[in-house]
Amino acid sequence: MKQTRRGLLKSAAGFAALAATVGLPQFAFAEGETIKVGILHSLSGTMAISETTLKDVMLMLIEQQNAKGGLLGKQLEAVVVDPASDWPLFAEKARGLISSDKCAAVFGCWTSVSRKSVLPVFEELNGLLFYPVQYEGEESSKNVFYTGAAPNQQAIPAVDYLANEGVQRWVLAGTDYVYPRTTNKILETYIKDVLKVAPEDIMINYTPFGHSDWQSIVADIKKFGSEGKKTAVVSTINGDANVPFYKELGQQGLAATDIPVVAFSVGEEELAGIDKGPLVGHLAAWNYFMSIDNPTNADFIKSWKTFIKDEKRVTNDPMEAHYIGFNMWIEAVKKAGTTDTDPVADAIIGVSVPNLSGGFSTMMPNHHITKPVLIGEIQESGQFEIVWQTPGLVVGDEWSDYLPDSKDLISDWRKPLSCGNFNVATGKCGGAGATSGG
């Protein structure tokens, strides 16, 4: 195997000359040396409530892999950092994980703004990031593997479900940052152009992180939904703002049977420890629910509770995304015979591993994975009763078919194309979006 300069820089210094001479792959260096895996999740600040669990599940997965004998004859070593819900600090910590700690791969980020912050670092230093949370699409990077849902794997199916249930008026309510705004831009276009809904039957509202005073907004939603057409709320509200939002719906007498809410950021972790009363009957769209009944999921839940030493702890969708992404990386490293970025990135395309929903997910050439789509109804227990799901797996669509600037774009990181935004109309690589490659 030809050893690249990047591979030599990653190797132990004492073996650099030998490797350059005989072309040893990285895993043949220094007996007993570990393979470092970066964990880039907020352990403090506003996002810690969601991201700490993802750090914990990564530690569990690494421990399990080491118990199986590690990888390429070495043990895995977790390198945990805390970007503290500070978006610029994400980039600084990412640079350290790649440059100083020499991590073979990094698993991390939650919000899109944190992912956007680190993306240039991973591209500059040629690192690998596995991103486990649903996002707005409109991006494809050679150095990022998107294991959370794209809009066509969550938002679009949720709207289709509600439309089939007779919804005619739409409230698009979101937190004011990139994910809700881009997702709602796609949904607004889809609702108008595909569902043929008039503009006056769409209400859009944004609130800041941590918003707590929902009285006037819910009153507006109530009035909007009282004009003779069935109305639903499509929620991209993130974080602790959800608690007063649902509480205010209840206080103003808006039950799920009156104006249902389908949320994209409310899962088992967010429901744990809060009053579920105002939320019962409302909906969430994910690709995994803890309530899924199959042996693979049962084993995962049992392992999780044993590892975390807490029978009350729940599992959720982003945890499953890390489970899938980590196992895909393991298989790609085995296939490539090295942890070097470029061979692993090539090897991972087409890799299929079990998901927790009872099937297999595959890494596609656009660096997105195949996933089922599920709609769940919130129960008093804090779990979800699945009321609808796709008959099969859905391929993640990195560029939306419903936005003029991206409808002609595709991503394919296989050689010889190796392009993140290939324009099928012009036949050229490049176009919309900041991340293209090629």
Side-chain angles (χ1 to χ4, degrees):
M1 181 180 298
K2 184 178 180 181
Q3 182 72 3
T4 64
R5 181 174 181 272
R6 183 178 296 107
L8 290 172
L9 291 173
K10 287 185 176 180
S11 8
F15 287 81
L18 174 63
T21 303
V22 301
L24 286 175
Q26 184 180 343
F27 67 84
F29 299 157
E31 187 174 333
E33 182 186 4
T34 59
I35 296 173
K36 293 183 179 180
V37 178
I39 301 176
L40 182 66
H41 282 303
S42 294
L43 309 180
S44 59
T46 188
M47 292 307 300
I49 188 171
S50 295
E51 294 194 65
T52 299
T53 292
L54 298 188
K55 177 266 294 183
D56 290 336
V57 78
M58 282 303 305
L59 293 178
M60 181 187 81
L61 294 170
I62 289 170
E63 181 182 280
Q64 290 175 339
Q65 187 63 34
N66 283 336
K68 297 174 186 176
L71 182 63
L72 301 182
K74 299 179 184 178
Q75 292 284 284
L76 301 179
E77 177 185 349
V79 182
V80 179
V81 296
D82 178 17
S85 307
D86 182 317
W87 318 136
L89 189 56
F90 266 88
E92 180 182 326
K93 294 293 186 180
R95 185 172 293 276
L97 288 173
I98 303 169
S99 295
S100 301
D101 297 307
K102 308 297 183 186
C103 290
V106 176
F107 294 78
C109 298
W110 182 289
T111 66
S112 286
V113 66
S114 65
R115 188 192 73 257
K116 293 286 189 185
S117 176
V118 306
L119 192 149
V121 176
F122 280 89
E123 293 185 333
E124 173 195 344
L125 301 177
N126 201 29
L128 294 178
L129 172 67
F130 288 80
Y131 177 64
V133 184
Q134 87 279 16
Y135 86 119
E136 68 281 359
E138 305 307 291
E139 178 181 300
S140 182
S141 170
K142 179 176 74 72
N143 297 86
V144 180
F145 295 93
Y146 307 81
T147 56
N152 73 307
Q153 294 173 310
Q154 185 184 39
I156 297 295
V159 165
D160 283 340
Y161 170 80
L162 291 171
N164 288 333
E165 292 292 305
V167 170
Q168 297 174 296
R169 301 202 98 191
W170 303 85
V171 179
L172 307 181
T175 302
D176 193 5
Y177 75 108
V178 60
Y179 163 63
R181 283 194 172 271
T182 305
T183 299
N184 286 339
K185 183 180 178 182
I186 293 169
L187 288 180
E188 182 183 11
T189 304
Y190 182 80
I191 291 168
K192 287 179 180 177
D193 294 352
V194 179
L195 301 184
K196 306 300 181 184
V197 173
E200 58 267 24
D201 287 328
I202 303 173
M203 171 183 170
I204 303 175
N205 178 266
Y206 294 102
T207 47
F209 278 101
H211 188 72
S212 59
D213 184 5
W214 289 94
Q215 187 173 354
S216 61
I217 295 172
V218 170
D220 290 342
I221 292 172
K222 185 175 182 179
K223 180 180 178 182
F224 186 74
S226 66
E227 299 179 12
K229 294 181 179 179
K230 186 171 182 179
T231 302
V233 177
V234 179
S235 172
T236 47
I237 299 168
N238 259 274
D240 54 8
N242 277 292
V243 177
F245 169 63
Y246 283 98
K247 185 176 181 180
E248 186 63 36
L249 288 174
Q251 288 178 341
Q252 295 198 29
L254 289 180
T257 51
D258 301 320
I259 299 181
V261 177
V262 60
F264 302 154
S265 298
V266 174
E268 293 86 348
E269 186 77 9
E270 288 73 23
L271 293 175
I274 67 171
D275 177 17
K276 265 74 74 176
L279 292 89
V280 170
H282 288 293
L283 306 167
W286 289 104
N287 309 105
Y288 164 84
F289 289 114
M290 184 177 179
S291 57
I292 289 170
D293 184 13
N294 67 57
T296 304
N297 190 38
D299 288 346
F300 178 77
I301 293 169
K302 181 179 179 181
S303 296
W304 168 244
K305 290 184 175 183
T306 299
F307 175 82
I308 209 69
K309 298 180 175 61
D310 185 352
E311 281 295 316
K312 295 182 179 179
R313 286 291 293 274
V314 297
T315 59
N316 64 14
D317 183 282
M319 290 172 67
E320 190 220 19
H322 263 340
Y323 170 85
I324 294 169
F326 179 78
N327 287 325
M328 285 181 167
W329 175 72
I330 292 291
E331 293 305 312
V333 170
K334 291 178 182 177
K335 184 178 173 182
T338 176
T339 58
D340 285 350
T341 293
D342 292 338
V344 171
D346 289 340
I348 201 169
I349 293 175
V351 166
S352 293
V353 299
N355 56 42
L356 299 178
S357 300
F360 284 75
S361 289
T362 303
M363 181 62 71
M364 303 303 287
N366 62 0
H367 286 191
H368 292 63
I369 69 173
T370 58
K371 302 167 80 78
V373 186
L374 313 171
I375 306 292
E377 183 179 291
I378 299 172
Q379 306 296 298
E380 183 64 43
S381 64
Q383 293 296 315
F384 291 83
E385 179 184 344
I386 299 170
V387 296
W388 178 88
Q389 66 185 78
T390 51
L393 302 181
V394 178
V395 177
D397 189 359
E398 72 288 6
W399 298 106
S400 174
D401 295 335
Y402 307 107
L403 297 180
D405 290 340
S406 59
K407 64 182 179 63
D408 292 328
L409 300 181
I410 64 168
S411 167
D412 190 333
W413 290 107
R414 294 171 298 184
K415 295 180 178 67
L417 192 60
S418 295
C419 179
N421 56 8
F422 182 80
N423 191 310
V424 297
T426 65
K428 296 180 179 179
C429 182
T435 303
S436 58

